[in-house]
Amino acid sequence: DQEGKASLYAMWHTMPGKFYGLRAEMSIWASPNIENSQESGASIQIYCQDRGHYNLIQAGFHILPSLYHNRDIRFFTYWTKDSRSKGCYNLQCGGFIPASGAKLVPGQAIAPPSIYGIQDHYIRLSLNKDPNSGDWVVYRHDLETPSFLGHFPKELCPETPRIQALTGFVNYLKNARGPPMGSGHFPDYNEKKSAYFNHIKKYNSKGQAFDPRYTGMVKLVDRKDCYDANDLFLEFKKGYTFNYGGPGGCIG
């Protein structure tokens, strides 16, 4: 935890092991009433063991008024040397390197958001270890062809074991009320009402994507009264999927 901040999660993650990345379709939700001191979003996270602590690299979308001075939903990347340090968003420091001509760059606004009960909108992202370069590459998969967005250099995530996670998250001031997560509603199985990760795939060391069955993923929800995630399961049209979210208002 950063000083004075509450960080709450609704995630499915692996135990430490030999993992090489994830892909998922992530629904996009606005948070028009989020306060300047708050953050809400969702991401693919890779925690990499490095001399006794875990580095973190991640890619996803968030609303973070203190960084952008508005409430737009934005694609973001983030990395931190260990789970206690402050970390680095987008291109603030050496870390994520965007591809030239990328269709989406860190900090770019994403539109349109999902509309509760009417229409869901999503982006499909992957973050995985490239078998040739060893770097951690980010692709967008919901355009006509997979679009290379950039990479985290392999030095940021060199060793196994690794933990990989699909995460809904919020950050806010301790002792204040938290912002909504996802659609601002607790998860149900209606994708027009509940934020989701759909078509979840894991990567192997050769860069091939597979269903995550037998991966032994576990759910982590640190405040079920505030935010929740439902079960990870296989559904005919959504592949491996789960929903997450909550209304906010919880005191951290």
Side-chain angles (χ1 to χ4, degrees):
D1 276 4
Q2 293 169 28
E3 205 58 44
K5 281 268 185 181
S7 299
L8 296 182
Y9 300 98
M11 67 160 79
W12 278 88
H13 69 88
T14 65
M15 302 311 282
K18 290 197 169 180
F19 295 114
Y20 301 92
L22 289 166
R23 181 170 89 208
E25 203 168 270
M26 305 157 63
S27 60
I28 299 164
W29 292 88
S31 191
N33 301 314
I34 196 168
E35 294 173 14
N36 280 334
S37 57
Q38 299 175 333
E39 178 185 19
S40 181
S43 66
I44 300 172
Q45 299 181 323
I46 314 287
Y47 296 85
C48 321
Q49 188 147 27
D50 184 17
R51 295 187 291 279
H53 59 252
Y54 276 96
N55 297 347
L56 167 65
I57 58 175
Q58 64 177 325
F61 72 87
H62 67 169
I63 301 112
L64 181 56
S66 64
L67 183 60
Y68 306 109
H69 309 295
N70 62 33
R71 288 164 177 72
D72 291 348
I73 310 157
R74 294 177 185 263
F75 169 63
F76 83 100
T77 58
Y78 179 87
W79 76 280
T80 176
K81 275 195 179 324
D82 61 66
S83 50
R84 291 182 302 283
S85 64
K86 192 161 183 286
C88 186
Y89 285 105
N90 300 338
L91 310 179
Q92 287 176 328
C93 60
F96 185 78
I97 299 166
S100 64
K103 298 278 200 303
L104 195 57
V105 295
Q108 185 177 331
I110 306 170
S114 304
I115 305 162
Y116 183 79
I118 296 170
Q119 183 64 55
D120 58 308
H121 291 281
Y122 63 82
I123 54 174
R124 189 182 291 174
L125 293 176
S126 63
L127 170 57
N128 75 289
K129 191 171 178 64
D130 183 276
N132 301 312
S133 67
D135 295 328
W136 289 82
V137 294
V138 178
Y139 277 82
R140 182 175 179 179
H141 297 268
D142 54 289
L143 306 170
E144 277 133 35
T145 56
S147 175
F148 177 48
L149 303 184
H151 71 276
F152 292 97
K154 57 181 177 250
E155 295 76 22
L156 300 185
C157 187
E159 298 173 38
T160 58
R162 303 183 185 103
I163 296 167
Q164 51 191 33
L166 297 165
T167 304
F169 63 85
V170 295
N171 292 298
Y172 59 101
L173 296 175
K174 278 190 177 139
N175 304 319
R177 291 185 182 277
M181 180 191 289
S183 69
H185 296 262
F186 283 111
D188 65 21
Y189 297 99
N190 183 337
E191 55 192 24
K192 292 180 173 58
K193 295 184 174 180
S194 185
Y196 59 73
F197 288 90
N198 282 355
H199 298 290
I200 298 165
K201 300 275 187 185
K202 65 169 185 179
Y203 286 88
N204 65 10
S205 61
K206 299 187 178 79
Q208 299 162 311
F210 291 91
D211 282 343
R213 62 167 87 78
Y214 315 126
T215 308
M217 293 184 83
V218 293
K219 179 161 66 173
L220 170 66
V221 175
D222 29 25
R223 285 279 302 272
K224 265 182 93 71
D225 55 325
C226 310
Y227 311 102
D228 206 356
N230 59 14
D231 288 339
L232 176 68
F233 70 105
L234 180 60
E235 190 171 309
F236 173 57
K237 287 192 172 159
K238 301 181 196 174
Y240 277 85
T241 178
F242 73 93
N243 298 73
Y244 68 91
C250 268
I251 296 189

